Amino acid sequence: MTTRSMTCRAAAATRAGTAAALRAGTAAALRAGTAAALRAGVAAFALPARAEGAADCAAAAGLSLSGYDLTIDGATHVADGPVPHCLVQGSFEHRTGADGKPYAIGFAIALPDEWQGRFLVQGGGGLNGVVRPPAGDTAAGDRPALARGFAVLSHDSGHKGEVWDGSFKADQIATLNFAGWSVEKATGLGKAIVEAYYGRPADHSYFAGCSTGGREGLASAQRFPTLFDGIISGAPAMRTSRSNMALAAKAVAMNRISPAGADGAPDKSAAFSDADRTLVLDGILKACDGLDGLEDGMIQNTQACSFDPATLVCRGTATEGCLTAEQAEVVAMTFAPTLDASGRAAYVGFPFDTGVMSTTDPIPGLLRFDDERNRQFKNAATDFDVDAAVEKADIADPQQRLINVDQWTDLSSFAADGRKIMVFHGMSDPWFSANDTIDFFGRVKAGTKTTVPMEDWAQLYLVPGMGHCRGGPAGLDRFDLLSPLVEWVENGAAPATVVASGPAFDGRTRPLCPYPTHARYTGSGDPQDAANFVCQP
């Protein structure tokens, strides 16, 4: 018998066993198919797996897995997606919570007909509560993970609700699931479904998410270090209790200089005119735009950027084209660390960057507390006690301390055995300061007890001009971290620069450089082309 015929026979036996497992709803038939392939004496499992399209997908509707109270709500073969795939939707861990409400972990998994042996878990957003379409598009450039032949799973973290509905926290297990335990549970289920559907386990498992999904990625590296081979964590919501506290303090500072509106509350829209806002942005650019060797409306060397709003204060009798001392003070406080009564930083400062006045993104810029989409918009207070807010964040809310991921910094078990993590953060993020992620990255480097150099298993990419996870009026927010992560995990090729583009500047590309380097123009060549920039400390 030829090797080719043996391979075909093995693959056929595997598919037959897989289909039998799906139809019978038992793991025993799956094992039988797997054993048949092994008896054929060939490395059939090294080949890309091919499902039989609609037929195998229909069989998946009857899937049952030992150890899971699995409910399949639908198994639909999608022929016109990024690639033909089977979309399986369902739930597990059904129970009645301590609050008397029904709970379960809802999920959706996309299983491509031509599977490349990789599995990816897609991170959530906000307070979760919904199952988003499983595509795997976080930091994947123009090719989501599903389009690359990954099996992709998304889930709701174990509760149903609108994006900011926190009522699930009345139940202990639902809160634990949101803190990260649901990622481990859903990943275990996803891996089991993949093995049942294709007749072999995934070769490699990945995670990619931003914001809450970024926190989930860090939580997985901290609490479940062997769960994933590679993780992408974007703009991680590491400690929302502190970041929200800092934003409230900044909103109050603006309230104090805002005249009363018709309802008697401070009218933040009158604190700064459009001309004032342009003045601030131009001042930041004048101070920092050229630090990367090129004045192009982007600040690449953000770590060297220093801007003093006092330089914009009116002198003498001037009243136009300048700020009042009170306005300059509010601008300075908005970027500065939020200090407690002892003068210690209760939350880090925000970088000087180009997106601070943005109203074009779903989340307005850092200085746009006057925008109705800002969660501090209805904050009408004119007094704020930082120490009391810190006590509430750190002592009065033990659930949030469990959810936060900013304290555990020893990732030595994760760093072992070739696992990798790539972190990215927009420098114009108005919710979570990129400086907090930089600080955490440094503490991880100091706290991880391993002889493996950090650059061999972790990289941080700062994205100039980008807002929260995406967007930014002067940001290039289209980039692919998934490809270099796969190369790093599977072939040991460490990533270097990552080319970014985006609608903010048509035809422009820039390299994203691994921290602590930044992109600097070489001084010659097309300044629109990333090829003419180098990464420099």
Side-chain angles (χ1 to χ4, degrees):
M1 182 182 297
T2 66
T3 300
R4 178 178 177 82
S5 63
M6 293 172 64
T7 302
C8 294
R9 180 171 295 181
T14 303
R15 288 196 297 271
T18 301
L22 292 169
R23 287 192 296 269
T26 66
L30 170 63
R31 288 195 296 269
T34 302
L38 290 173
R39 284 195 298 270
V42 296
F45 297 153
L47 301 174
R50 180 187 294 271
E52 294 302 318
D56 281 354
C57 190
L63 177 63
S64 175
L65 294 170
S66 176
Y68 293 96
D69 61 334
L70 186 61
T71 296
I72 301 296
D73 297 324
T76 306
H77 189 258
V78 181
D80 57 352
V83 292
H85 65 279
C86 179
L87 178 63
V88 179
Q89 297 170 290
S91 56
F92 69 106
E93 197 180 85
H94 302 88
R95 60 187 181 81
T96 299
D99 54 0
K101 297 179 181 179
Y103 286 93
I105 300 176
F107 72 91
I109 185 168
L111 302 160
D113 290 0
E114 296 193 23
W115 180 52
Q116 299 303 310
R118 301 184 181 103
F119 170 63
L120 182 138
V121 174
Q122 176 176 298
L127 295 180
N128 292 333
V130 297
V131 179
R132 292 174 172 81
D137 56 1
T138 298
D142 296 327
R143 291 187 66 220
L146 177 58
R148 304 172 189 227
F150 283 66
V152 180
L153 178 138
S154 66
H155 63 99
D156 60 12
S157 82
H159 67 272
K160 295 286 187 287
E162 297 299 325
V163 66
W164 301 120
D165 179 5
S167 61
F168 67 90
K169 292 183 181 179
D171 180 74
Q172 180 185 2
I173 293 177
T175 305
L176 288 169
N177 279 338
F178 178 71
W181 275 254
S182 63
V183 176
E184 183 193 33
K185 296 172 182 178
T187 300
L189 173 73
K191 290 180 178 180
I193 291 175
V194 164
E195 184 168 2
Y197 192 75
Y198 295 110
R200 68 176 178 93
D203 300 318
H204 295 282
S205 297
Y206 296 90
F207 178 95
C210 193
S211 191
T212 294
R215 172 186 62 78
E216 291 169 342
L218 291 186
S220 297
Q222 293 169 332
R223 300 167 183 173
F224 315 109
T226 63
L227 196 59
F228 299 108
D229 301 306
I231 292 174
I232 294 174
S233 170
M238 291 190 296
R239 48 173 183 165
T240 55
S241 51
R242 289 289 187 105
S243 56
N244 287 338
M245 176 273 298
L247 293 176
K250 298 175 193 305
V252 167
M254 187 172 288
N255 287 341
R256 290 172 181 158
I257 67 167
S258 300
D263 58 357
D267 181 6
K268 297 183 184 70
S269 65
F272 292 87
S273 67
D274 289 343
D276 294 334
R277 296 186 183 101
T278 299
L279 184 69
V280 172
L281 179 56
D282 288 346
I284 293 172
L285 286 170
K286 181 179 179 181
C288 303
D289 189 1
L291 296 176
D292 53 20
L294 181 69
E295 293 186 2
D296 57 356
M298 299 181 70
I299 301 172
Q300 299 287 345
N301 193 359
T302 51
Q303 295 301 287
C305 178
S306 178
F307 167 63
D308 184 1
T311 60
L312 304 178
V313 172
C314 298
R315 310 297 179 189
T317 59
T319 58
E320 295 183 0
C322 53
L323 301 180
T324 67
E326 292 78 13
Q327 287 176 317
E329 185 178 347
V330 168
V331 173
M333 180 182 176
T334 301
F335 288 101
T338 302
L339 305 179
D340 63 17
S342 69
R344 291 176 297 190
Y347 189 71
V348 298
F350 282 75
F352 292 110
D353 202 45
T354 55
V356 295
M357 298 299 181
S358 174
T359 57
T360 61
D361 295 334
I363 302 169
L366 178 63
L367 270 163
R368 297 311 302 255
F369 293 108
D370 60 307
D371 192 303
E372 293 187 9
R373 296 167 299 167
N374 192 306
R375 298 189 70 201
Q376 294 293 331
F377 177 74
K378 295 182 179 180
N379 181 348
T382 55
D383 186 62
F384 191 82
D385 188 330
V386 174
D387 290 66
V390 169
E391 182 176 2
K392 180 180 179 181
D394 290 358
I395 298 174
D397 190 355
Q399 290 180 329
Q400 190 61 47
R401 296 204 307 275
L402 176 69
I403 293 168
N404 291 347
V405 297
D406 62 302
Q407 291 301 307
W408 189 272
T409 57
D410 181 7
L411 302 186
S412 53
S413 294
F414 176 84
D417 301 325
R419 298 180 191 93
K420 315 294 183 185
I421 184 169
M422 299 179 75
V423 182
F424 70 93
H425 206 134
M427 297 304 287
S428 282
D429 190 330
W431 277 6
F432 312 124
S433 173
N435 288 336
D436 208 25
T437 299
I438 292 170
D439 173 72
F440 178 75
F441 203 75
R443 289 188 288 117
V444 167
K445 184 174 182 178
T448 297
K449 302 174 179 64
T450 178
T451 57
V452 182
M454 191 172 185
E455 59 269 21
D456 287 349
W457 60 274
Q459 294 280 20
L460 169 62
Y461 291 86
L462 304 176
V463 188
M466 190 175 79
H468 184 60
C469 295
R470 61 183 62 84
L476 301 179
D477 63 348
R478 292 178 183 168
F479 48 86
D480 178 10
L481 296 184
L482 185 57
S483 292
L485 179 64
V486 168
E487 281 295 308
W488 201 12
V489 167
E490 299 181 18
N491 299 316
T497 60
V498 174
V499 176
S501 63
F505 297 99
D506 186 35
R508 176 179 293 184
T509 58
R510 289 288 184 271
L512 300 181
C513 298
Y515 178 81
T517 63
H518 71 276
R520 183 174 180 82
Y521 181 52
T522 61
S524 63
D526 183 0
Q528 293 289 87
D529 191 344
N532 297 310
F533 288 75
V534 294
C535 290
Q536 177 176 305

